[in-house]
Amino acid sequence: SGNRTFLPHAVGDGTRRTFFITNTGMTSSLFEPNHELAAKFQNLDELMQVVRTVEMDTVRLDDIPELHQTDFLKLDVQGAEKMILDNAVEVLKNVLVIQTEVEFVSLYKDQPLFADVDRVLRDHGFMFHRLLGTAGRSIKPMYLKENINRPISQTLWGDAVYVKDFMALESLSEERLLKYAVILHEAYRSLDLCHLLLAEYDRRTGADLSRRYLDLINERPAG
């Protein structure tokens, strides 16, 4: 597609690391699968079998010039999210919204978990906004007959959305307020927070976007 650019980088902490390639590809990671834990769940360890490893040089987000004006960051890197965020200090200064996969148990050995990612992002001026698509598996030997992948009780992973602290909007320019609002509306339908950002824009500029937005939302059919 003409509006996409693919960069030939393995993102990490800037060091040379081992990459664990699995039988499914989607579970490959810079962290080794934790087979002892994964094997306790239905149809999970079977998807995390290492078929080979490669040594590769990783690149920090801060060292990729094309990313220095990033507004929206999405991460899904099988346990390496904190590593990447720890090495994105400059990039995160401009980012407005982040969606990152998080794990609630150690699916990979020594991986940081949700609480660790949460602390990093709060330290960088972000607030937790919502969880999307939480998922898991049932603990063996139990499972639901209609779907072996459906969890019974244990949540294992999900996507966490973080937003620039909306209690500190004075740090954002008018342009960034509008970008922030557009991302929230288009990606998440976060109507109330979007309205709050537009109201701040109106307060500064004398515009009338928040009222017009509210009128449009109220006119739109439910769903």
Side-chain angles (χ1 to χ4, degrees), residues 59-70:
V59 177
R60 305 186 320 147
L61 283 188
D62 275 350
D63 294 331
I64 304 175
E66 293 91 340
L67 302 186
H68 285 187
Q69 298 301 315
T70 299

Side-chain angles (χ1 to χ4, degrees), residues 115-129:
D116 305 301
V117 172
D118 178 77
R119 179 175 294 277
V120 170
L121 289 176
R122 285 189 290 111
D123 287 346
H124 283 284
F126 292 89
M127 295 178 71
F128 174 78
H129 184 49

Side-chain angles (χ1 to χ4, degrees), residues 86-102:
D86 280 340
N87 291 276
V89 175
E90 295 304 316
V91 168
L92 290 179
K93 289 178 181 178
N94 198 67
V95 170
L96 299 167
V97 180
I98 297 171
Q99 180 176 331
T100 177
E101 187 179 46
V102 291

Side-chain angles (χ1 to χ4, degrees), residues 40-162:
K40 293 189 179 298
F41 295 91
Q42 295 286 358
N43 196 34
L44 184 58
D45 193 44
E46 295 87 342
L47 308 178
M48 301 176 67
Q49 295 300 306
V50 176
V51 294
R52 64 189 178 98
T53 62
V54 297
E55 299 299 312
M56 59 169 55
D57 294 320
T58 65
V59 177
R60 305 186 320 147
L61 283 188
D62 275 350
D63 294 331
I64 304 175
E66 293 91 340
L67 302 186
H68 285 187
Q69 298 301 315
T70 299
D71 302 308
F72 177 37
L73 180 64
K74 187 174 187 296
L75 296 174
D76 184 350
V77 287
Q78 305 306 117
E81 292 81 9
K82 181 179 182 294
M83 178 196 301
I84 290 172
L85 293 169
D86 280 340
N87 291 276
V89 175
E90 295 304 316
V91 168
L92 290 179
K93 289 178 181 178
N94 198 67
V95 170
L96 299 167
V97 180
I98 297 171
Q99 180 176 331
T100 177
E101 187 179 46
V102 291
E103 278 83 38
F104 303 100
V105 300
S106 296
L107 300 179
Y108 298 87
K109 293 181 180 179
D110 301 319
Q111 72 161 108
L113 299 177
F114 169 67
D116 305 301
V117 172
D118 178 77
R119 179 175 294 277
V120 170
L121 289 176
R122 285 189 290 111
D123 287 346
H124 283 284
F126 292 89
M127 295 178 71
F128 174 78
H129 184 49
R130 64 167 72 168
L131 278 175
L132 300 174
T134 55
R137 293 286 194 274
S138 61
I139 299 174
K140 294 175 179 177
M142 295 183 66
Y143 68 94
L144 300 174
K145 289 185 178 180
E146 71 273 15
N147 184 357
I148 196 172
N149 293 327
R150 182 178 171 187
I152 295 176
S153 61
Q154 180 66 52
T155 299
L156 298 177
W157 68 84
D159 272 19
V161 179
Y162 283 81

